[in-house]
Every structure is written in C-alpha cells, then in structure tokens.
Amino acid sequence: MRRVDVLVVGAGLAGLHTARLLARRDLNVLVIDRRRSPDAGIRTTGIFVRRTLDDFDLPEHLLGPGIRDVLLYPPSRRSPVRLTSHRDEYRVADMPGVYRYARRAAEAAGAEVLPGVRYVGARAGVVTLEGAEPVAARFVVGADGARSHVARDLGLDVNRRFLVGAELVHAITPGTGGPAFHCVLDPRVAPGYLGWVVDDGRQAHVGVAGDPRAMRTGVRHLLDAFLADGAPGHAPPAGPVERRGGPIPVGGVLRRLACPYGLLVGDAAGAVSPLTAGGLDPCLRLSELAAAVVAGYLRTGDQEVLRRYDGGALRARFRGRLLLRRALAGVRTAAAAEAAVGLLRGRAGRALAARVLFGDGSFPDVRAGLADLAATR
C-alpha cells in the first residue's frame, strides 16, 4: 500500500495551494480529484479582490483588466447607485489557466496530482479510492467542496446553509463599454442574493444566485429570466458561451475544522464571505494557516497545534456579515428591494456599501495565527 504524509482530496485552488505549501515543507503530498482535469467543471466566477491581489503572487497574464466601478440596481433597473474607487478593486481571472498554474506550482514543489480518482472513504488512516489503490495517509486535507464527504467521514462540521448559482461566461467585442461590476437586487430572479454582470472589457460573466428553497423554477430558468429582462451591462457574446454553477456555502466558517486525522480548507471549511459569497480570498488565506498547522502537527504530534486551526475564532469575526446576510435574505419582495437600494443612495448607505464592496474585511487575517505557530517551532 502506498504511504503518504498528507492526502489532499480536491484539486481546486484551496487544495492545490495547501498541497504546494505542504510539499515545500518537505512533506510527501498526494492530491486526488475526481475530475479528469482539474481545470474542468469550474464553478467560480473568478473575481479576485484588491486585498488578494496585494497579498498573493498571482500570475499577471491570467488576470483581466482592473475594475473600479460598481453599480447597484433595484428590481426596476432604474437609477442605479454608482460607487467608484480610486484604485482597481477587482480583477477577473482566467480560472482554467489559474488552476493549471496552481497544479504546476504544486507539482514543482514536490506534490503529486492524480486526476480522475474519486475519494470513497477513510478509516484508521487508510483512504479508499475509486480509480486507484488505497492509500495510507498520516493526515487528510478535505478540499472537496461545499458538500464535503471528507468532513463527514472525519466527524467534522459540515455546511448547512447554501446559495445556489448559475452563470454564463463568454468573450465580448472589445470597446463595447468600460469595465464595471453590475449588481441587481431583485428577489424575483435572485432570492436572498443578487443577479450580476461583470464586464472587464474582454469577457462578460452574467449570473444569478439565491436561496434554493425560494427558487420555484430552478436557477437556470431564473438566469434565463434575468437575461430576458435585460441584465444591465450585458454585451452580446463574441464567441462560445460557457456555463458554470453550483452550491455556495454562506453560513460562515465552520467551528470544528480539524481533528487528529485531518482538517478542512476552502468551501469544505465554509471559507466563503457570508455576505458577498466570495471564496477565493478566504481559500488562499485559510490554506496558509492550514499548511502551517498540518506541518507543525505532523512534526510534533502535539494536538495543541491543531487547536490553532480554530473555526470558532475565525467565525467570531464574521458577526457583522452574518447579520447582513440575514438582512439580505429577508428582502423577499420587489418593493422591499427597491426600498433597500433607496437606502443606499444616502450618505450612510453609500458608506456601508463602499465598505462592503471596497473594504479589506473579506476574510479575517490569519497572520497572527501564523506568527504564533512560527514562535513555537
């Protein structure tokens, strides 16, 4: 039986980044993913916020032009609230390229990536796989998405609150308009969340997401309705149209993220902003802490190290956004949505919107935890 230090289940951005960091610490790391190619079946829009761009070394050639303008629309689509930053706040990435880049980086660090291998279960340090022989792993990292099977097998917390989203992605004719992020608050097509059009001058991403319990006709039908009703800022396709979609955990970081046999990262850990549903910045930050914790635990065997990976402490910093998530979920009629956008037109409302959209609070800073771990070496 093959033996590894760490088995990472899931070759998304969280899994590959964690694998890369662990391999750089001279651990024997194996990454598996049920997809034949990790850059297939992409679900994320691929929006990187300024804080991520500032703190992480992302490949420039895979990032689109900077976006500084955000327009917030009521259901009527009339008189949007326009917010403009003095700096680039968002850049949309070529996510297939980002995943290929992340895989190459993990392999260059020494990790092995096996696509087309499905996780079946784990017991007593032995992981059963479909598509490969069982593996004996000292530790398992669950990076297997919002409905993580690893979390259940390890007895860790699981996500219970979700949005479900659908999106179309296509090239556009250059020069059709300036880069902008259009957000529509309309519970008729996006109950509990938003419809959006992201146009960076090269590509358009148009989508809707919301509470699946309130989607009587299904998310794809609602996306069609959003397009038919005139998705603001949407330019016609200038090439093939790609469909994306899937569940988005919005209950905040889970409390119990680690045990002596494994831990969770990315969507599996609930590392998604409860309000904006952004997950790329959280997955990278939490992966940095996870890699330091796993390496420290495997080196020392001290379970006190695992306690540094505390979802409860991270969750406490999300209180404000969890409250705003409940408020957004409570906007259930077009009239209420019109009134909510109206409140954003005032000085206090614009300041709140700018803080959410342009602020630095997308995910708690884990540097203090990393410093504590470094001090214990």
Side-chain angles (χ1 to χ4, degrees):
M1 185 181 299
R2 179 172 181 179
R3 298 181 181 276
V4 299
D5 292 319
V6 184
L7 176 70
V8 179
V9 182
L13 192 57
L16 290 169
H17 190 55
T18 306
R20 175 192 178 192
L21 295 173
L22 288 170
R24 287 172 59 183
R25 289 171 164 86
D26 295 324
L27 291 170
N28 182 2
V29 182
L30 174 64
V31 184
I32 62 165
D33 196 288
R34 60 183 177 79
R35 297 168 297 173
R36 293 290 178 184
S37 174
D39 61 359
I42 292 171
R43 295 181 173 181
T44 178
T45 298
I47 300 174
F48 285 94
V49 298
R50 174 177 47 78
R51 188 182 178 207
T52 319
L53 298 169
D54 289 344
D55 292 350
F56 292 92
D57 185 19
L58 298 170
E60 178 68 25
H61 69 284
L62 297 176
L63 298 171
I67 298 173
R68 299 186 176 196
D69 290 325
V70 178
L71 291 88
L72 305 173
Y73 296 80
S76 65
R77 314 294 198 268
R78 294 193 295 268
S79 302
V81 177
R82 188 183 194 103
L83 301 170
T84 301
S85 175
H86 66 279
R87 52 194 175 184
D88 293 343
E89 295 290 347
Y90 305 101
R91 296 182 72 178
V92 185
D94 167 12
M95 288 310 294
V98 168
Y99 285 130
R100 289 192 292 269
Y101 173 87
R103 177 178 176 175
R104 289 195 299 269
E107 290 175 331
E112 181 180 357
V113 181
L114 285 182
V117 175
R118 188 173 71 86
Y119 169 88
V120 177
R123 186 176 182 181
V126 176
V127 181
T128 306
L129 307 172
E130 182 181 298
E133 293 298 315
V135 172
R138 296 174 63 195
F139 205 80
V140 177
V141 172
D144 53 334
R147 295 189 171 98
S148 171
H149 293 288
V150 173
R152 296 182 186 279
D153 287 347
L154 296 181
L156 300 174
D157 286 352
V158 296
N159 294 297
R160 301 192 183 279
R161 295 182 60 191
F162 298 92
L163 300 176
V164 62
E167 181 181 67
L168 302 178
V169 182
H170 58 76
I172 58 174
T173 302
T176 55
F181 192 171
H182 304 265
C183 301
V184 181
L185 182 60
D186 187 347
R188 297 170 300 183
V189 295
Y193 190 57
L194 301 167
W196 66 88
V197 177
V198 182
D199 178 348
D200 66 2
R202 297 181 184 177
Q203 277 195 329
H205 295 248
V206 53
V208 298
D211 183 347
R213 298 167 298 182
M215 292 181 170
R216 297 179 182 176
T217 57
V219 67
R220 289 199 173 188
H221 184 273
L222 292 175
L223 176 55
D224 292 340
F226 182 52
L227 286 163
D229 198 30
H234 182 224
V241 177
E242 175 191 354
R243 284 189 175 269
R244 297 179 183 177
I248 308 165
V250 290
V253 181
L254 300 174
R255 290 181 174 84
R256 189 161 185 258
L257 295 177
C259 71
Y261 308 104
L263 56 68
L264 308 175
V265 295
D267 282 9
V272 175
S273 171
L275 180 59
T276 66
L280 294 177
D281 183 77
C283 91
L284 290 172
R285 294 187 191 280
L286 196 63
S287 293
E288 300 245 318
L289 180 59
V293 166
V294 173
Y297 173 64
L298 292 181
R299 185 180 66 252
T300 65
D302 183 359
Q303 293 193 24
E304 187 62 33
V305 175
L306 287 178
R307 295 188 182 96
R308 306 293 181 91
Y309 199 67
D310 183 2
L314 293 169
R315 185 181 179 84
R317 304 178 199 177
F318 272 122
R319 288 194 186 105
R321 291 187 176 235
L322 285 166
L323 287 172
L324 289 172
R325 152 62 35 209
R326 294 190 188 99
L328 184 57
V331 178
R332 298 182 179 275
T333 66
E338 290 280 350
V341 175
L343 292 173
L344 298 178
R345 300 186 197 283
R347 179 183 235 175
R350 292 178 67 87
L352 174 63
R355 182 176 179 182
V356 170
L357 294 168
F358 300 153
D360 291 332
S362 58
F363 192 75
D365 196 336
V366 301
R367 283 178 293 185
L370 290 170
D372 287 346
L373 284 166
T376 62
R377 289 179 181 176

